Every structure is written in C-alpha cells, then in structure tokens.
Amino acid sequence: MKLSDMLSGAQIVSVSGDFETEVGSITYDSRKAGKGSLFICIKGLASDGHDYAKSAYDSGCRAFLAERELELEDACVAVVEDSRREMARAADNFYGNPSKRLDLVGVTGTNGKTTTTYLIKSALDHLGRACGLIGTIRTYTGRVDAESERTTPESIELHSHFSDMLSCGIGSCAMEVSSHSLELHRVDFCDFKYSVFTNLTQDHLDFHPDLESYMKAKEKLFYMTSKANIINIDDKHGKALYERLKALETPCVSYGIKEEADVSAKDISMDASGTSYTMVTPDFECNIEVAIPGEFTVYNTLAAASVLYLMGIGGADISSAMNSCSGVPGRFESIAGKNGVTVIVDYAHTPDALENILKTARGIAKGRVITVFGCGGDRDKTKRPIMGEISQRLSDFSVITSDNPRTEEPQMIIEDIVAGLDAQKGAFTVVVDRKEAIGTAIKMAGPHDIVIVAGKGHEDYQIIGKQKIHFDDKEVARAYLEEGK
C-alpha cells in the first residue's frame, strides 16, 4: 500500500520525501521496523518514540509518521499534530477497514466489562455465530487465542485482530473498551455497531483528574456507535448518559431492574447455585438462568442479552444461549474445600466491585465471610480507605495484604487501607505477604464459612517493584484447602 493511501484523510502538517512510497507493514515498535515499514513515533508515558526513529531508520525503515520533523536522509516523514490518532487511521486503512464488516460490540464501564463480553461471545458461539473477543483476560481472533497484555490493545493490534477475525470467518466481536483506550485514541476509527455502558464508580483516578473526566472519556464510545447504544439506567451516571444520548440518531436502549427501562428483569431469584429471572423486552419475555449468584449477575446477563435482542435474536434463542453460559475466569470463581470451607476468587479491585461481591457472599453464606484483599501500588490512592471500610462493614473478618504493590512500599499501601477501618471494631489483621494472608484466612475458616480473595482474579502474577513474578490466588487457595482437608 502506498503511504499516501494509508494516510488518506489524515490531518497532515507537512510531508518531506516520497509520499507515494510503498509500505508493507506498520509499527510503533522500532525493534519491529525494517525495510518497507511505516514507523510511527508515539509519545508514551515513559518514553518517546521519536527518540527511536534513528534505530528504525538504521534497520531499513524509510517511512515515518511523527509529530515533529526528523533529520533522516532519503526517508519520507509525514508530520501530524497527533500521531496516536493518525496511527489509528493508518491502521484502519492498512487493514482495509475491517471493523466495518464486523458486528463489533463495545462494552465500557468500571465493573462488568469482562463478564459481559464473555457472555456475549459465549452466547453467539452457542447460536453458531462465531464471535471474537478482546479484553482484560483473553484475546480470541480465530488465529490468536492468548492472554491479553492490556484491556484494550493499541490501534495497530486492534485492526490486525479484526482483520484476522474476518479471514477466519468470524462475523462478530465482543470488546472491552477502557477509558484509557478512548482517551489515547486506540479505538478511533473502530466501527462499533453496538455499545454498552455497565456502570461508573471510582477507579483510575491516577490517570483521570477526577470522576467527571473519567466519565467523559467513557462517553466518547457512544458517539462512535452506529446501530444501538445500550445503557444501564439504574446507574446514576448511566441515567444521565441515557438522557444525553437520546438526542442522537443512533437508537438508545435502556436496561435495568429498578428504574423503568426498555429491557428489564422481573421475578429475580438468587441463591448459592446461581441466578434466574424473566427478561422483559418490548417484543417478548424469556427466561434467563445462569450458574453465577449475585445481583451483579443480573446486570451483566441483562446487558449481554440486550445486545442479542438488538441483533434480532428471538426469545427462545436468547434463553438457550444465555442459559448455556458458564462462569468467567477469576470472576466470583468458587473453590470448595473438603472441610466445608469455600474460597471465592474475584477480580474486584474497586470499592463498588468489592461491595457487590461481599453483599452477594453475605446473601449465600451459611457461616462467616472472611475477606482477603489489598490495593495496587502506583494506582488511585483515594479508593484504599474506602475499600477498607467496605471490607470491615460487610465481612466478619478482614485480612489486609498486598496486591501488585509495584514501586510502592506494601506497608504504606496497607496503612492507607487501614485508615478506613475502625480500630475499635477490630475484626481485622494485617499480613503483608499475600500467600501467608490467604493461608491465614483459610486456616481460621470453619465449615460453611466463605473466604473471599479479592483483587487479582484471573491474574497469575504479582508485580513487586518492576518485577513480575508468578503468583496465582487460586493455586495458593487450593494448596491451603488441601492441607486442611
């Protein structure tokens, strides 16, 4: 493809060199650049791609997209105001605008993104409509089936994944859309057919200045959607968003269980074995049964089922597809011990998510609820005491520990959490080592007690300093449960 075609429509400030040069690959990683590549200079949070342009040049690269002039002989340098945005455009053009030919479903919100996308994929696969997946846990394209490095990849990887899906005969994709990806132009030029808003609670305030900025980043998705926006109207931010989006040409559909909604749930039943309810749409009612307990399960399944409904799928097929869905790795994942203790591993790492899983645990526990959790280092510090208060209020006992401390001192993070606890009430202890903390909770648990291990879910590592070491909450829990059998 000619560079001029790849950058068709781009807001170009200047071009030096041959703009008609042929380009056979596209990258922002100088180590992958070579003869025939377009190297895109991206200013990252930790490094600046412009500093690596010479390295790409020395490897044979002669086409560059940058935000400033580059002194590179016999090279074509296209200068733009925002290389991230134009990278997304170039990637879309290079791969032949693949998202236009997909039923692309974007799911954004603080909690529930992963579960909702998994449910959509599982349901469509069950109905014989092959669906790709891009999100926090895995990326599945038909050609790729691998653990994900981040919730939403960079734009080059995204459009490559979409292209792979089409070549493998996949017609749909369920995709988590993070606020970071919306703010950093990763999903620009993605043709979303359906978009879902799950909820908004405190998170990522290390990246966004405040909750309002966080919401504004999320909202961008719904102006990129062509067929329908699907909004949780029970969430106060969702309700306000729904009112704003009603002015658009794109249809806006609400879902919920408390407010009057276009798609709703009635006759809700929840116990330790799972959740069931009747889904009510403007056209039909159908039964939903999923082997995952909790009110959050109602919302996640209702969001996924609403997507199926808007795709034109009938009630009987929605029931069959949703009822076939199994759990999601690291999301309220239950491990039973032979001594009657149950451990539930969950990714909950925000105040709202922790409160939801603890309320669910309290509703199904026949004994005590013992919670093990920590907060990640180099992330939003303001949520730490809030999560401490929630754990103390909803647990019979809390074990405060480490969770990916990164470059912060674990003890300092724990002190931030403990600041939210009432020392007079007690019923908590501090165990800095996460393995020992999980062991402490399981050893104190008796028959019918539930031990919640929150914060990491599917993750099989700990980040300590700048090192990533193997650590899996489920592995550790199973080992301690085996000891106590």
Side-chain angles (χ1 to χ4, degrees):
M1 176 180 280
K2 291 181 179 180
L3 181 59
S4 60
D5 292 332
M6 189 182 295
L7 295 178
S8 175
Q11 298 174 353
I12 296 174
V13 175
S14 65
V15 176
S16 58
D18 183 8
F19 199 38
E20 302 303 310
T21 189
E22 288 288 334
V23 174
S25 64
I26 178 172
T27 184
Y28 55 87
D29 185 341
S30 61
R31 295 166 296 184
K32 297 179 181 179
K35 187 176 180 180
S37 298
L38 169 63
F39 177 66
I40 302 177
C41 304
I42 299 295
K43 289 181 180 178
L45 299 176
S47 61
D48 187 342
H50 294 80
D51 298 335
Y52 296 90
K54 182 62 165 59
S55 175
Y57 179 86
D58 291 342
S59 296
C61 181
R62 292 296 181 269
F64 297 83
L65 183 68
E67 293 181 1
R68 63 172 186 259
E69 296 288 346
L70 303 171
E71 298 300 324
L72 299 171
E73 187 177 354
D74 298 326
C76 178
V77 180
V79 177
V80 296
E81 289 186 1
D82 191 328
S83 56
R84 278 191 175 276
R85 176 171 172 78
E86 301 307 343
M87 176 169 72
R89 186 195 306 271
D92 183 37
N93 287 335
F94 180 73
Y95 286 103
N97 318 114
S99 64
K100 291 185 182 301
R101 289 168 282 155
L102 281 172
D103 268 340
L104 180 60
V105 183
V107 181
T108 197
T110 305
N111 302 311
K113 296 188 298 297
T114 300
T115 300
T116 301
T117 53
Y118 259 77
L119 289 168
I120 292 167
K121 173 178 168 49
S122 176
L124 288 174
D125 285 346
H126 176 81
L127 295 171
R129 298 171 58 159
C131 184
L133 180 73
I134 297 174
T136 303
I137 300 178
R138 296 199 74 76
T139 297
Y140 176 77
T141 70
R143 186 168 294 167
V144 172
D145 185 6
E147 292 183 6
S148 301
E149 292 185 8
R150 53 164 64 102
T151 297
T152 313
E154 288 287 1
S155 56
I156 293 174
E157 285 81 16
L158 268 181
H159 292 283
S160 174
H161 290 331
F162 296 151
S163 179
D164 283 351
M165 289 177 196
L166 291 172
S167 67
C168 292
I170 292 174
S172 303
C173 175
M175 173 177 158
E176 294 183 54
V177 184
S178 67
S179 59
H180 291 68
S181 71
L182 288 155
E183 200 72 6
L184 296 174
H185 301 294
R186 290 180 198 158
V187 296
D188 285 13
F189 306 102
C190 290
D191 188 357
F192 293 98
K193 307 306 189 298
Y194 307 92
S195 291
V196 178
F197 177 83
T198 60
N199 51 63
L200 189 97
T201 62
Q202 182 175 337
D203 199 15
H204 301 305
L205 297 189
D206 53 307
F207 181 80
H208 301 284
D210 48 45
L211 204 61
E212 183 181 2
S213 301
Y214 180 35
M215 181 63 204
K216 284 183 177 178
K218 295 281 190 191
E219 188 167 341
K220 292 177 182 180
L221 173 63
F222 302 96
Y223 298 92
M224 304 166 64
T225 307
S226 58
K227 289 190 175 180
N229 287 315
I230 302 155
I231 310 298
N232 175 8
I233 202 170
D234 286 350
D235 180 89
K236 66 178 182 180
H237 300 282
K239 189 172 185 179
L241 175 64
Y242 176 76
E243 293 300 322
R244 293 193 292 274
L245 295 178
K246 284 198 300 185
L248 301 180
E249 289 185 10
T250 302
C252 190
V253 175
S254 62
Y255 72 94
I257 62 178
K258 297 170 183 173
E259 297 282 339
E260 185 175 343
D262 300 314
V263 179
S264 61
K266 69 177 185 180
D267 302 328
I268 298 169
S269 176
M270 294 178 284
D271 58 29
S273 65
T275 302
S276 67
Y277 61 89
T278 299
M279 175 183 177
V280 181
T281 77
D283 301 307
F284 56 78
E285 296 184 3
C286 63
N287 182 61
I288 305 291
E289 294 182 16
V290 184
I292 310 170
E295 186 177 78
F296 57 87
T297 298
V298 180
Y299 283 106
N300 293 337
T301 53
L302 199 58
S306 294
V307 172
L308 302 183
Y309 164 64
L310 290 165
M311 285 182 167
I313 296 171
D317 282 340
I318 290 176
S319 287
S320 172
M322 295 304 298
N323 297 358
S324 73
C325 294
S326 57
V328 179
R331 270 54 177 182
F332 215 78
E333 192 167 354
S334 180
I335 307 167
K338 294 180 180 178
N339 59 352
V341 175
T342 299
V343 175
I344 294 174
V345 175
D346 194 273
Y347 189 55
H349 61 283
T350 66
D352 185 62
L354 184 63
E355 183 160 3
N356 284 338
I357 65 161
L358 291 181
K359 283 182 175 178
T360 298
R362 292 226 69 89
I364 63 176
K366 295 180 180 178
R368 297 178 300 165
V369 174
I370 302 168
T371 302
V372 182
F373 86 102
C375 290
D378 303 332
R379 297 294 187 267
D380 179 10
K381 294 183 179 182
T382 63
K383 69 182 180 182
R384 296 172 184 172
I386 300 171
M387 292 178 69
E389 185 278 328
I390 290 168
S391 182
Q392 186 177 48
R393 172 164 46 88
L394 295 175
S395 308
D396 293 289
F397 196 89
S398 299
V399 183
I400 315 302
T401 189
S402 292
D403 177 347
N404 293 338
R406 300 183 177 86
T407 63
E408 285 193 72
E409 284 295 326
Q411 187 62 49
M412 299 299 291
I413 299 172
I414 289 170
E415 287 178 10
D416 288 343
I417 296 170
V418 172
L421 279 71
D422 185 341
Q424 298 297 318
K425 291 181 181 178
F428 73 91
T429 189
V430 169
V431 182
V432 177
D433 181 89
R434 190 173 181 90
K435 180 178 180 181
E436 186 182 341
I438 294 171
T440 298
I442 291 174
K443 287 173 183 177
M444 73 167 58
H448 309 303
D449 289 348
I450 292 178
V451 175
I452 299 288
V453 183
K456 295 181 61 58
H458 65 282
E459 293 179 353
D460 61 358
Y461 59 82
Q462 275 270 64
I463 303 174
I464 300 174
K466 295 189 177 180
Q467 279 192 314
K468 198 174 187 178
I469 61 173
H470 179 77
F471 189 94
D472 188 324
D473 285 349
K474 290 177 285 184
E475 285 180 9
V476 173
R478 288 191 183 101
Y480 278 113
L481 286 171
E482 187 69 19
E483 283 181 15
K485 66 181 180 180

